[in-house]
Amino acid sequence: MISAALRCPVIVVADDHPMFRSAVFSGLRQHFPDAILSGTGSMEELRPRLRGDPIDLLLLDLDIPGARGLGGLLEVVTGSPLVRTAILSATVSVPIVSRALAIGARAYIPKSLELADLADAVHTVLAGRIWVPQNFRVAGALGDEVSTRLATLSPRQLAILGLIAKGLLNKQIASAMDVSEQTVKEHVSVILKKTKSATRTQAALLASSLTGITVPTNVGEPSNGK
Amino acid sequence: MQVGSLVGLSACYVALLFGVAWLGDRAAAGPRRLLDRPAVSGTIYCLTLAVYNTGWSFYGSVGNAARQGWGYLPIYLAPILVLWFGRPVLRRLHAAADAQGATSIADFIAGQLGASQFVAAVVTIGSILAVLPYIALQLRAVSLSFTALSGGAVDTSTKPIAPPDDTVFWIAVAMALFTVMFGVRHSHRSRRHRGLMVAVAFDSIVKLLSFVVVASAIVLHTLRHEPSLFATDASRALLRPHLFRPLWLSNTLVAMLSFLCLPQTFHVSTVERSNPRDAVWGAWLFPVYVILLCALMLPVAAIGVSYYGGAAEGDRFMITIPMAIGRTDLAVLAFIGGLSAATGMVIVATMALATMLCNDVIMPVLLHTPISARWLRRADMSLLIVNIRRFAVIVILALAYASTRITSTYRLSETGLVSFVGVAQFGPALLGGLFWRRATGPGAIAGMLAGLAVWAGMLLTPVTYRPNSLLDPISLCTLVSLLSNVAMFIIVSLAGTSWPRVVDPAGTGQTPSEDELSELAVRFVGAEAASAAFEERKRQSWARLDALDFTRNLLAGAIGIASARVVLAASQRSTLSDQAAWAILDEASEALRLNHRLLWTVLSTIPQGICIFDQELRVSAWNGRFLELLDMPAGVVRVGMPLRQLLDYNHDRARYAKSDPRRLLAPHQLEERQWPYIYERERPDGSVLEISFDRLPEGGLVSTYIDISERHRSVLSLRSTNEQLERRVRERTLALEQARSAAEAANQSKTRFLAAAGHDLLQPLSAAKLFIATLEEQVYVSRPFQGGPPDAADRIAAAVVGAAAALRSSETMIHGLMDISAFDTGVVRTAVGDFELGSVLQPLEQEFRALLGSSLVGLDICHETVTVRSDPFLLRRIVQNYLTNALRHSGARRIGLRCRRRGGRVDIQVWDDGNGLDRTARARVFEEFHRGHGASERGMGIGLTIVHRIGQLLDHPVGVLSIPGRGTCFFVRVPLGRPVPPQAAESRRNEVARFDLNGGEPLRVLCIDDDEQVLAGMSGLLRALGIDVLHEPEAAPPDAMIVDYHLGADINGIGLIERLRVLWGSETPALLLTADRSDAIRFEANSQAIALAHKPVKPDQVKAFLAAARSPRDIVPAPGGEP
């Protein structure tokens, strides 16, 4: 599977900027001539695509319409855990990189990256490893307490945490995820333990910090609805 | 006994008396509660009555007892009889004296008999004649005991010694001094001599104690050692009760009259009496005193008579017996007692006599003599009176001293009796004046003169004493003189009305109106005292006294009753017949009045309101301004109005807060309060008064009222101005604050706009860059370098490269701008922690080496293993920007990175050997968009600006040193951190491990497994090895981690390990546990540098893994996220 992915990987670029998408395509084609490239402009377009043919690599823009903060990433990671997702963003800051990696991004690629580095990142992720920009490869740069705790959550637990953050009850979560309420309860207790949260509310606050994270703390302000 | 020591002792005693008198005055001047207590006051009164018991009692009575046996007693029975059975008489006497304001017995008798100055003069001169021997007796008694004690000549009738060597002389001088100091200080009678009276009381205690002690010691000694002394014939004769003798009767009579008429006893019992209840105390206490005193006289006399074989030395038994039995100390004590007995009498008697002499002889003479009257006009009346009295004191004591020479042939008790008989001559006049309505002045004069004449004729010539005859000369004289006295008194009184009472309140003639009387009083005692007195009279409605008597008393206090009557009489006559006296009085009072007027004018014109309160806190004076300031209606403030009433009045008018008077008047606070007591009071009309209460030296309070409205207003206006200013400053500050925040908001929005614009700008730029990069690579790939002249394709390639460079440059710029705007808007958060500096610098070095690659620039990196406290990400930016700047702009051929420890900090320096910077460039190098000269076109120098911002944000000083042409050194100063536990930063798969768990700190191992049981087992194993087991990841990486592969349906151990390693930025050694033995997992784990152990796991495997994780970790730099 790995070799197949390396040979002719299926790569989806989810970015609302058509010009940038085609620039990425042209760059990737240069390095991955056999890659099957496609693009989507919003989460709405992306969702059916995720349910279709397998995807080896998803390059996901954080500011894609329909996603708030890391919400898009969270949705993809929890909904399609097998899709390797790399964040492609003009926004680069420590907390967001840290959280993104914690909840399952395989790479965090700044848009200003050189083509060679982009190619390197794609290679790395396709090879099954995690890639971060050079300047984040510093001990202590990313590992904060919240992130490390989030990192131990499984995608399913993350999904439940997301639903908790939306204010859903266990029963509603169970029906939304199509599992028994008992299962949800067990997961919730694990989540509370892993996130060191005393209550559901604390956990929900933690989760909502993921979706609200981009606005106050990143460098520069994202403009929605590009 | 040495003369010197006796003199010293006497001096000490007199000094002690001075001290007691001074203390007494102090106590009287201060809060007078102590002296005013009934018990204290009564006791003192009783003790002062004991002035009756003089040196005569101390020495003479013993001698008397030695001669007459029980015959000494009448003298002592008499006062007891008077106090017990003469109570009605005494009451009447006291009431009359009080009403009359009598200052002496002469004053009193004259007052009772129509205020005849002649009566007063006769009594005065008679008293002096009669009492002088008595005073002389005291001096002699002291001298007698002195010589006895000092072992001098026993014969007292030896020729006189020269005065300066004579003890008596010096005693007289000391007593004169004492009397002048404490006895004669005020002209007015109401000033009682409290200090003097306390001293006299003290005297009485001393004499009683010393007598009782000495006498009882003598008796005890005799009983113990020589009881036979009581059994001798002589003592038997003494101790056997006598039958009644006429002498007793006459002595008792004389003593009773003397007790009433002696100037000193009259003074202490009547003039100094401050409280009517004192008489009751005296009636009961004084007999006790007398009985205590005279109980042992007879036994001592008996002992003495037996011992010495006769009564010849009886007057000195109190001294000689103790000396004979070898008790010199007792003798000295007796001496002190005698001295005290003498001093008390002498002082009081002298003072009383001096007052009499002044008021009843000298002043009338002066007032009636035109020459002296003229002189009096210019004199200070009250000072003059005091001086006259002082002079009189000295004269009397001098006379007394002189008469010691004359009377030295008498025995003590005889001399005393002689005096008593003389004084007794005033008795008929005194009692007659009190009880007999028809008594007249001439009658009294006639009686007294007759009695005194008989007395002088019979007794003032030396007589021989015949104790056993039926009628001794003294008794005879008593009988004859008193009889002739009474007879003449009655006859003359009945015979003539030649001197009617000069002022008879109920009599005919026009009585002056009250206004006239008060005017009269004003002339003499001053306006204030007069009006105060009249006000008080109104208030107290003094019972029987009409205005005339009242005025007379007022004047009598100052000039004596007789003179006062003259003045009043003059005022009463329609034609001022006694023009001279009137003029004199007028003139005399003029100076006083002038002073008062001056004072009054001053008081009236000063802007302060003044109100004065006496010792009982009653209003005694005020000025007009006081009424004005307090807005008091006329007539509200009265003399004698209590302060509390005044305050209550003001309070009722809402002039005071209720607490003020309470606080002021709380009695304990009057003593403890901080004086002056000042407070401010706002009146209803808005003006403000500053009210100050202060104590007067003689008791009482003075209050001043100052209108401080103006001051208050200015304070208020100052305060309001201040508040206004403050408000203005606040408003201004607020406005500025608003302006500033508006500006900041504008700036922020601009910055945000810039950021958003940059962000949007970056999208197409990034796209363009990717396109160009693609094109660039295609150009090179499709057309490798072939040499030869450049063709069209070469030119295209060059253009593509140029476009790519331009794009990168603009992109760098936009990133820089966005970074700066991020710093400016404050959205950059720092995450400061302790970390190993190498973990930041090593990856940078690798990166830069890669960047330099083919370039000719050399790079020197010098590390130091050191822990710093900073934000690793931002610190990396700083160093990276320094390096980039050096590489791009310095034109250097070598670039270096050094770390230098300096104290608690580390300087990270980036140097180059490039062009260097001059002074201005150095100053501006951290500014925005500044670029050094000669720099290449790439970049806009924004990197250093970012360095500057980060330096500020992290509080790391940044700076530059440079020598133009030689090179530049940029530095950042980072504080040292606490060393962090060394991290197991590397994995060494192929290394042979030493297993040593006991060296150093315990390992921290993260252990993750879904299966609780497995987790518990593993944890137990690890803990047994002395390892800290973690079940959840923390911000800092552990030394190693042991993770189960199957963590759930959708995540596996490898993913988790990978993710944590990325987050920690650390290749933490990891052991993956799995039951799956597939190659896929093995391969995957291997590729991620994860150790693998198949389940069931053997402890040895875990130990081997941990040993590897623990092995030396200071060798290999981290390969940086990628294998």
Side-chain angles (χ1 to χ4, degrees):
Chain A
M1 176 192 161
I2 294 166
S3 54
L6 283 174
R7 213 169 36 247
C8 45
V10 177
I11 301 177
V12 175
V13 179
D15 192 305
D16 59 332
H17 223 292
M19 182 169 69
F20 187 76
R21 280 209 303 270
S22 60
V24 172
F25 286 161
S26 75
L28 285 179
R29 235 172 244 126
Q30 189 82 25
H31 289 267
F32 302 93
D34 299 327
I36 301 156
L37 299 168
S38 63
T40 59
S42 70
M43 285 300 287
E44 275 176 60
E45 285 178 46
L46 180 61
R47 280 181 198 114
R49 182 69 189 81
L50 287 171
R51 286 193 290 272
D53 294 336
I55 299 171
D56 289 313
L57 173 64
L58 170 65
L59 294 172
L60 178 65
D61 184 9
L62 268 189
D63 302 320
I64 190 167
R68 279 175 58 232
L70 291 170
L73 174 65
L74 195 61
E75 187 182 328
V76 175
V77 165
T78 56
S80 319
L82 294 179
V83 177
R84 292 188 177 113
T85 309
I87 296 298
L88 189 62
S89 176
T91 303
V92 185
S93 76
V94 173
I96 202 164
V97 174
S98 168
R99 297 289 194 283
L101 293 170
I103 63 175
R106 304 296 295 177
Y108 198 103
I109 306 167
K111 280 187 178 175
S112 58
L113 218 58
E114 296 293 326
L115 178 57
D117 291 330
L118 175 67
D120 179 35
V122 172
H123 264 299
T124 305
V125 174
L126 285 177
R129 292 192 300 277
I130 296 176
W131 188 92
V132 288
Q134 187 77 29
N135 52 353
F136 286 99
R137 295 175 200 168
V138 175
L142 292 175
D144 63 37
E145 186 114 17
V146 175
S147 297
T148 54
R149 272 192 245 131
L150 283 172
T152 61
L153 293 177
S154 71
R156 184 175 291 261
Q157 286 161 350
L158 275 174
I160 292 175
L161 183 61
L163 294 177
I164 290 173
K166 283 181 182 168
L168 267 59
L169 301 173
N170 281 354
K171 193 181 263 178
Q172 293 167 304
I173 295 172
S175 74
M177 299 188 65
D178 201 18
V179 291
S180 76
E181 197 179 335
Q182 185 58 36
T183 313
V184 174
K185 273 185 188 166
E186 283 166 14
H187 276 301
V188 168
S189 71
V190 172
I191 289 166
L192 293 184
K193 194 178 145 209
K194 284 185 175 176
T195 57
K196 282 195 179 168
S197 305
T199 61
R200 267 172 99 90
T201 317
Q202 275 185 16
L205 282 174
L206 185 72
S208 56
S209 79
L210 294 176
T211 48
I213 202 162
T214 52
V215 181
T217 58
N218 72 340
V219 174
E221 182 171 280
S223 48
N224 292 327
K226 271 174 295 192
Chain B
M1 193 73 195
Q2 292 297 309
V3 177
S5 50
L6 273 184
V7 170
L9 201 61
S10 315
C12 285
Y13 182 74
V14 174
L16 182 65
L17 266 193
F18 272 82
V20 170
W22 182 75
L23 282 179
D25 263 350
R26 276 268 307 255
R32 294 169 55 179
R33 283 179 300 178
L34 180 67
L35 289 184
D36 286 343
R37 258 184 223 156
V40 176
S41 171
T43 309
I44 289 179
Y45 180 71
C46 160
L47 290 171
T48 55
L49 282 183
V51 80
Y52 175 78
N53 302 304
T54 62
W56 175 17
S57 308
F58 209 89
Y59 302 117
S61 290
V62 177
N64 206 2
R67 284 181 289 275
Q68 303 183 13
W70 294 94
Y72 79 99
L73 266 184
I75 302 295
Y76 299 100
L77 283 177
I80 298 177
L81 291 176
V82 170
L83 285 172
W84 280 354
F85 302 108
R87 287 280 289 285
V89 179
L90 281 178
R91 256 204 301 277
R92 180 105 182 238
L93 191 151
H94 289 157
D98 278 349
Q100 188 187 316
T103 54
S104 66
I105 182 157
D107 234 16
F108 179 71
I109 294 175
Q112 290 305 305
L113 292 170
S116 158
Q117 285 186 318
F118 290 108
V119 175
V122 168
V123 173
T124 302
I125 292 168
S127 294
I128 291 172
L129 278 180
V131 176
L132 265 183
Y134 200 28
I135 297 176
L137 163 76
Q138 308 303 321
L139 299 176
R140 215 152 56 81
V142 173
S143 149
L144 201 69
S145 58
F146 187 87
T147 44
L149 193 57
S150 59
V154 174
D155 185 5
T156 53
S157 58
T158 48
K159 64 181 172 86
I161 324 163
D165 301 329
D166 190 353
T167 333
V168 179
F169 175 77
W170 291 114
I171 288 169
V173 168
M175 287 173 182
L177 192 63
F178 188 87
T179 313
V180 165
M181 276 191 68
F182 292 100
V184 186
R185 294 168 75 181
H186 312 288
S187 63
H188 199 271
R189 172 224 176 196
S190 71
R191 303 291 186 200
R192 296 191 168 96
H193 309 90
R194 304 299 291 259
L196 182 72
M197 288 303 115
V198 172
V200 169
F202 175 73
D203 248 354
S204 299
I205 294 173
V206 171
K207 70 188 173 206
L208 176 66
L209 284 181
S210 54
F211 188 89
V212 169
V213 167
V214 172
S216 51
I218 290 170
V219 172
L220 284 177
H221 178 89
T222 310
L223 284 175
R224 197 172 303 150
H225 300 289
E226 301 171 78
S228 62
L229 283 180
F230 284 114
T232 60
D233 291 342
S235 61
R236 282 227 188 88
L238 279 184
L239 293 172
R240 186 173 53 237
H242 298 272
L243 294 173
F244 171 78
R245 288 183 187 175
L247 183 66
W248 288 31
L249 191 65
S250 75
N251 279 0
T252 308
L253 181 64
V254 165
M256 283 171 74
L257 289 175
S258 302
F259 184 71
L260 288 175
C261 299
L262 272 170
Q264 70 266 30
T265 49
F266 184 86
H267 185 86
V268 296
S269 71
T270 307
V271 179
E272 294 285 350
R273 191 179 53 98
S274 54
N275 194 328
R277 280 168 304 183
D278 290 349
V280 182
W281 279 84
W284 294 107
L285 268 182
F286 186 68
V288 174
Y289 184 97
V290 170
I291 289 165
L292 281 177
L293 184 69
C294 61
L296 288 172
M297 282 178 180
L298 193 56
V300 172
I303 293 163
V305 168
S306 307
Y307 193 83
Y308 287 99
E313 296 300 320
D315 287 349
R316 301 202 295 183
F317 280 171
M318 286 299 287
I319 303 276
T320 51
I321 295 176
M323 288 182 72
I325 62 174
R327 294 291 299 273
T328 315
D329 50 342
L330 287 179
V332 171
L333 189 58
F335 172 73
I336 295 285
L339 184 64
S340 72
T343 46
M345 180 270 167
V346 170
I347 288 161
V348 179
T350 313
M351 185 185 73
L353 287 177
T355 307
M356 285 158 73
L357 195 60
C358 167
N359 281 7
D360 299 317
V361 178
I362 301 178
M363 281 308 290
V365 168
L366 286 179
L367 287 171
H368 281 89
T369 315
I371 306 165
S372 59
R374 213 168 299 136
W375 171 66
L376 278 179
R377 272 177 223 168
R378 295 188 298 274
D380 178 344
M381 208 67 163
S382 76
L383 185 64
L384 178 73
I385 291 171
V386 170
N387 281 338
I388 289 175
R389 287 183 192 172
R390 285 175 179 162
F391 174 69
V393 165
I394 292 162
V395 166
I396 289 163
L397 273 170
L399 285 175
Y401 175 69
S403 58
T404 53
R405 315 272 150 199
I406 302 166
T407 59
S408 58
T409 49
Y410 284 92
R411 295 192 183 84
L412 293 185
S413 62
E414 281 169 21
T415 318
L417 268 179
V418 168
S419 283
F420 272 28
V421 174
V423 169
Q425 303 309 321
F426 308 129
L430 177 81
L431 296 174
L434 266 181
F435 294 104
W436 191 36
R437 292 204 49 86
R438 298 192 61 183
T440 62
I445 291 173
M448 285 187 290
L449 287 179
L452 286 170
V454 171
W455 168 74
M458 292 182 72
L459 290 184
L460 287 187
T461 52
V463 290
T464 39
Y465 191 71
R466 292 185 298 278
N468 294 322
S469 66
L470 189 64
L471 275 177
D472 63 317
I474 290 176
S475 302
L476 191 65
C477 173
T478 307
L479 205 60
V480 175
S481 61
L482 279 181
L483 278 177
S484 50
N485 184 335
V486 170
M488 286 302 286
F489 183 30
I490 292 172
I491 292 166
V492 174
S493 290
L494 289 177
T497 53
S498 59
W499 290 346
R501 300 201 171 196
V502 180
V503 176
D504 188 352
T508 58
Q510 67 195 88
T511 308
S513 73
E514 203 154 302
D515 286 345
E516 283 170 332
L517 285 175
S518 81
E519 192 190 338
L520 188 70
V522 166
R523 281 167 189 267
F524 228 78
V525 297
E528 211 160 328
S531 69
F534 273 89
E535 290 287 346
E536 182 159 326
R537 184 181 108 77
K538 272 182 214 157
R539 195 171 54 78
Q540 292 190 344
S541 66
W542 272 6
R544 293 155 280 112
L545 283 181
D546 63 10
L548 205 57
D549 286 346
F550 178 78
T551 314
R552 191 175 59 227
N553 290 342
L554 197 61
L555 295 183
I559 55 171
I561 186 71
S563 306
R565 291 216 163 162
V566 169
V567 170
L568 276 178
S571 78
Q572 236 174 329
R573 288 169 206 159
S574 50
T575 56
L576 293 176
S577 63
D578 202 345
Q579 195 69 43
W582 189 236
I584 292 160
L585 295 177
D586 220 10
E587 296 289 347
S589 60
E590 183 60 25
L592 206 60
R593 211 166 42 155
L594 193 69
N595 281 344
H596 274 287
R597 198 182 300 143
L598 195 64
L599 196 63
W600 184 246
T601 314
V602 171
L603 274 184
S604 310
T605 49
I606 56 173
Q608 281 100 334
I610 294 180
C611 189
I612 299 164
F613 302 91
D614 63 13
Q615 289 158 347
E616 280 78 37
L617 296 184
R618 290 178 312 216
V619 173
S620 61
W622 65 91
N623 65 357
R625 184 71 177 144
F626 166 72
L627 301 179
E628 196 183 315
L629 279 178
L630 281 191
D631 195 20
M632 292 286 215
V636 168
V637 183
R638 289 175 285 104
V639 169
M641 181 182 192
L643 172 58
R644 176 173 291 283
Q645 194 182 330
L646 183 65
L647 294 173
D648 282 348
Y649 175 78
N650 276 330
H651 173 243
D652 291 344
R653 296 194 305 162
R655 294 292 197 272
Y656 285 104
K658 199 152 197 157
S659 58
D660 286 326
R662 294 276 151 71
R663 239 183 295 143
L664 179 66
L665 290 179
H668 65 279
Q669 288 191 349
L670 272 182
E671 315 248 331
E672 291 157 17
R673 177 180 299 291
Q674 195 80 23
W675 296 98
Y677 172 61
I678 300 176
Y679 61 99
E680 288 179 10
R681 177 80 27 242
E682 190 167 348
R683 293 200 302 152
D685 65 359
S687 62
V688 180
L689 291 184
E690 184 186 277
I691 303 176
S692 138
F693 277 83
D694 204 351
R695 287 186 300 185
L696 288 171
E698 294 177 344
L701 295 174
V702 59
S703 60
T704 56
Y705 300 75
I706 307 171
D707 190 344
I708 55 162
S709 310
E710 205 54 45
R711 193 170 87 198
H712 212 256
R713 254 197 295 282
S714 58
V715 165
L716 280 183
S717 84
L718 204 63
R719 195 178 297 157
S720 84
T721 309
N722 194 27
E723 277 166 5
Q724 218 169 343
L725 270 176
E726 272 177 10
R727 196 172 56 240
R728 223 176 279 171
V729 166
R730 263 202 309 278
E731 285 168 359
R732 206 75 193 106
T733 313
L734 199 67
L736 281 174
E737 195 70 33
Q738 282 167 349
R740 195 177 68 89
S741 52
E744 255 173 24
N747 192 32
Q748 288 254 336
S749 94
K750 193 189 74 186
T751 310
R752 271 200 297 276
F753 167 76
L754 196 64
H759 188 86
D760 285 353
L761 213 55
L762 275 181
Q763 299 275 354
L765 202 65
S766 300
K769 206 175 70 176
L770 283 179
F771 283 128
I772 291 288
T774 312
L775 191 60
E776 209 180 358
E777 285 180 7
Q778 274 173 357
V779 167
Y780 281 108
V781 167
S782 64
R783 216 179 157 285
F785 184 69
Q786 293 166 335
D791 54 7
D794 285 336
R795 284 195 294 277
I796 289 171
V800 167
V801 169
L807 277 176
R808 277 191 200 100
S809 175
S810 64
E811 191 193 39
T812 308
M813 244 175 63
I814 290 172
H815 270 296
L817 284 175
M818 287 173 68
D819 283 350
I820 285 178
S821 79
F823 285 118
D824 283 352
T825 49
V827 297
V828 177
R829 305 246 172 102
T830 59
V832 175
D834 295 331
F835 58 89
E836 171 65 38
L837 187 56
S839 67
V840 170
L841 296 187
Q842 280 163 6
L844 254 185
E845 182 191 354
Q846 284 186 330
E847 196 180 326
F848 262 80
R849 283 196 193 288
L851 197 65
L852 292 172
S854 59
S855 123
L856 294 173
V857 178
L859 182 65
D860 292 343
I861 303 282
C862 180
H863 296 295
E864 187 155 350
T865 311
V866 63
T867 310
V868 294
R869 182 160 185 81
S870 181
D871 179 312
F873 182 73
L874 294 175
L875 183 62
R876 184 187 195 279
R877 280 290 288 278
I878 291 178
V879 181
Q880 185 180 29
N881 285 5
Y882 277 163
L883 287 170
T884 311
N885 185 68
L887 188 63
R888 286 185 180 164
H889 304 301
S890 70
R893 279 171 301 153
R894 290 205 71 78
I895 295 173
L897 175 68
R898 270 195 306 244
C899 301
R900 288 279 162 84
R901 289 174 81 144
R902 287 164 195 264
R905 297 189 300 266
V906 181
D907 273 8
I908 303 169
Q909 301 170 336
V910 175
W911 58 267
D912 62 65
D913 60 353
N915 303 323
L917 300 166
D918 59 21
R919 182 187 294 266
T920 46
R922 281 204 298 276
R924 299 183 56 209
V925 75
F926 288 111
E927 287 175 14
E928 280 138 347
F929 297 106
H930 170 77
R931 196 162 43 163
H933 301 291
S936 68
E937 74 283 0
R938 285 190 297 167
M940 286 291 288
I942 215 159
L944 291 179
T945 309
I946 292 172
V947 164
H948 189 226
R949 299 287 159 94
I950 297 175
Q952 281 178 332
L953 195 66
L954 293 177
D955 200 19
H956 294 348
V958 298
V960 59
L961 306 166
S962 181
I963 302 170
R966 298 278 302 277
T968 310
C969 173
F970 286 95
F971 63 87
V972 56
R973 200 159 284 167
V974 187
L976 288 177
R978 280 174 296 127
V980 289
Q983 300 163 1
E986 317 81 18
S987 70
R988 288 154 296 275
R989 268 166 282 164
N990 302 323
E991 203 168 336
V992 181
R994 286 179 292 113
F995 186 65
D996 178 14
L997 289 173
N998 294 325
E1001 295 175 16
L1003 286 175
R1004 292 164 66 250
V1005 174
L1006 175 65
C1007 208
I1008 296 179
D1009 199 315
D1010 263 10
D1011 189 329
E1012 297 275 344
Q1013 278 188 332
V1014 175
L1015 188 65
M1018 180 59 73
S1019 302
L1021 171 66
L1022 293 174
R1023 290 206 182 91
L1025 295 171
I1027 284 166
D1028 271 359
V1029 181
L1030 310 173
H1031 287 157
E1032 281 143 19
E1034 293 168 357
D1039 294 312
M1041 51 183 164
I1042 299 175
V1043 182
D1044 189 26
Y1045 181 76
H1046 300 284
L1047 291 177
D1050 44 8
I1051 183 170
N1052 63 39
I1054 293 176
L1056 179 61
I1057 289 168
E1058 224 184 334
R1059 216 182 272 176
L1060 287 174
R1061 278 177 172 176
V1062 169
L1063 286 177
W1064 287 328
S1066 147
E1067 284 294 293
T1068 307
L1071 177 64
L1072 188 71
L1073 308 180
T1074 179
D1076 189 341
R1077 291 170 186 273
S1078 67
D1079 283 347
I1081 292 179
R1082 188 194 304 277
F1083 176 75
E1084 202 179 346
N1086 211 22
S1087 73
Q1088 303 280 2
I1090 296 172
L1092 191 67
H1094 288 118
K1095 291 182 176 179
V1097 181
K1098 297 186 186 77
D1100 281 351
Q1101 283 177 298
V1102 178
K1103 283 182 191 172
F1105 163 73
L1106 291 174
R1110 179 139 189 99
S1111 61
R1113 47 182 73 92
D1114 53 349
I1115 333 159
V1116 190
E1122 295 160 299

